[in-house]
Amino acid sequence: MSRFAVRGSGAYWSVLDGGKAVATFSTWWKADDHADRLERQARTRVRGCLTCGSQFISEGPHNRMCAACRQQSH
Ligand SMILES: [Zn+2]
């Protein structure tokens, strides 16, 4: 199940974060676009690389090495 959801009708569309409305838009697609962006933000984190310790943007828990180290391990 996704953390973010879009609910509404007519000219009122809300983006819900775990059931709580965090933003309201006048069209469904704007709300959907915003929910997409929040979803991506929630997934990405700055982490320290497991191998060299440098900071990089991780796309999820599976992603623990920076781009340079991942290239070297292949
Ligand atoms: Zn590294």
Side-chain angles (χ1 to χ4, degrees):
M1 201 186 117
S2 164
R3 173 177 157 191
F4 299 99
V6 175
R7 294 275 181 284
S9 64
Y12 296 95
W13 294 90
S14 292
V15 177
L16 307 184
D17 177 355
K20 201 174 121 228
V22 291
T24 304
F25 298 87
S26 57
T27 59
W28 173 84
W29 66 267
K30 279 185 188 168
D32 192 53
D33 191 57
H34 189 72
D36 261 13
R37 213 170 311 149
L38 290 176
E39 190 89 54
R40 266 198 304 275
Q41 261 172 30
R43 270 202 308 265
T44 53
R45 294 261 187 284
V46 177
R47 293 172 189 272
C49 173
L50 277 183
T51 308
C52 71
S54 72
Q55 301 266 297
F56 71 105
I57 304 286
S58 168
E59 283 145 20
H62 63 282
N63 184 196
R64 299 301 304 274
M65 289 197 294
C66 73
C69 291
R70 262 185 297 166
Q71 261 175 9
Q72 278 172 23
S73 72
H74 283 300

